[in-house]
Amino acid sequence: MTIKIMFVCLGNICRSPTAEGVFRGLAAQSELDVFIDSSGTSGWHNGDLPDTRAMAEANARGYDLSAQRSSQLKPQDFHEFDLILCMDNSNITKTEAIRPKGGNAKVKLFLDYAPNQSLREVPDPYYEHNFEAVFDLIEDASRGLIAELS
Ligand code: 4NP
C-alpha cells in the first residue's frame, strides 16, 4: 500500500520543498512505496519555484527540486495523506487549524525522525541563509523516516 506523506513549512519554497526532494531522492534508493508532496501554510509563493539557494544546495548534493512549485496546504490534504510532517511548531498550529471533520492525517514534527539532533524544529533558512545546516537536518530526518517505514 502506498504511504502518502506531505511535508509542510510556511512558504513552501525553502524547507518543505527541500524535504520533498531529499526524501524522494533517498527513498528512491529503497523499496518503499511512497507518494510525496509538500506545501506551505501560507499561499504567499503559490506557483513559485523553490528558492534559488535551496535549488543550488540540492544540486550540489545530487537532488533535483526543479519540477516542484509552491502550493498551499488545504483541508482536503487531511483526507488524502497519511502523514503531514511539519518543519516547526508554528506550522503545526496553522496546520491543525484547518483540519476538517473526518480528516485523519497524523501531524508531527519532521525532526521527530531525527532524535539524535538537539534541534526539534528545522530553522527557517529564508532569512538565516543556513541552507547547508538545514539540508543536513533534512537528510538526517529523511533517513530516520525511511528506516521507520522500512
Ligand atoms: P519556508 O521559508 O517556510 O522554509 O519556505 C520561507 C519562505 C518565504 C517566507 C518565509 C519563510 N516569506 O516570508 O516569504
Side-chain angles (χ1 to χ4, degrees), residues 91-147:
N91 305 150
I92 290 208
T93 302
K94 289 173 182 157
T95 292
E96 287 292 4
I98 65 158
R99 182 189 287 277
K101 266 209 173 109
N104 290 329
K106 226 189 261 181
V107 174
K108 298 176 74 170
L109 281 173
F110 186 33
L111 292 190
D112 287 353
Y113 295 96
N116 294 330
Q117 297 286 345
S118 52
L119 291 177
R120 305 289 10 111
E121 302 177 290
V122 181
D124 191 342
Y126 188 66
Y127 301 107
E128 304 290 329
H129 314 293
N130 50 340
F131 280 83
E132 283 189 32
V134 162
F135 268 72
D136 288 345
L137 285 170
I138 286 174
E139 284 184 330
D140 195 16
S142 294
R143 291 196 178 97
L145 177 56
I146 287 166

Side-chain angles (χ1 to χ4, degrees), residues 9-143:
C9 63
L10 173 59
N12 191 217
I13 56 169
C14 295
R15 292 165 294 175
S16 62
T18 294
E20 177 185 348
V22 166
F23 186 82
R24 184 178 288 120
L26 294 176
Q29 301 161 23
S30 75
E31 299 282 293
L32 281 183
D33 180 9
V34 284
F35 176 80
I36 310 300
D37 201 357
S38 68
S39 58
T41 56
S42 78
W44 298 339
H45 293 277
N46 277 350
D48 290 356
L49 277 163
D51 189 287
T52 51
R53 296 164 296 177
M55 294 212 290
E57 186 61 26
N59 288 341
R61 296 186 187 216
Y63 307 107
D64 181 10
L65 310 185
S66 66
Q68 299 174 202
R69 298 293 181 276
S70 181
S71 63
Q72 186 171 16
L73 181 72
K74 48 190 192 304
Q76 182 62 23
D77 293 325
F78 287 80
H79 296 291
E80 293 183 359
F81 288 84
D82 301 299
L83 202 49
I84 299 178
L85 295 178
C86 294
M87 300 300 132
D88 63 34
N89 284 310
S90 163
N91 305 150
I92 290 208
T93 302
K94 289 173 182 157
T95 292
E96 287 292 4
I98 65 158
R99 182 189 287 277
K101 266 209 173 109
N104 290 329
K106 226 189 261 181
V107 174
K108 298 176 74 170
L109 281 173
F110 186 33
L111 292 190
D112 287 353
Y113 295 96
N116 294 330
Q117 297 286 345
S118 52
L119 291 177
R120 305 289 10 111
E121 302 177 290
V122 181
D124 191 342
Y126 188 66
Y127 301 107
E128 304 290 329
H129 314 293
N130 50 340
F131 280 83
E132 283 189 32
V134 162
F135 268 72
D136 288 345
L137 285 170
I138 286 174
E139 284 184 330
D140 195 16
S142 294
R143 291 196 178 97

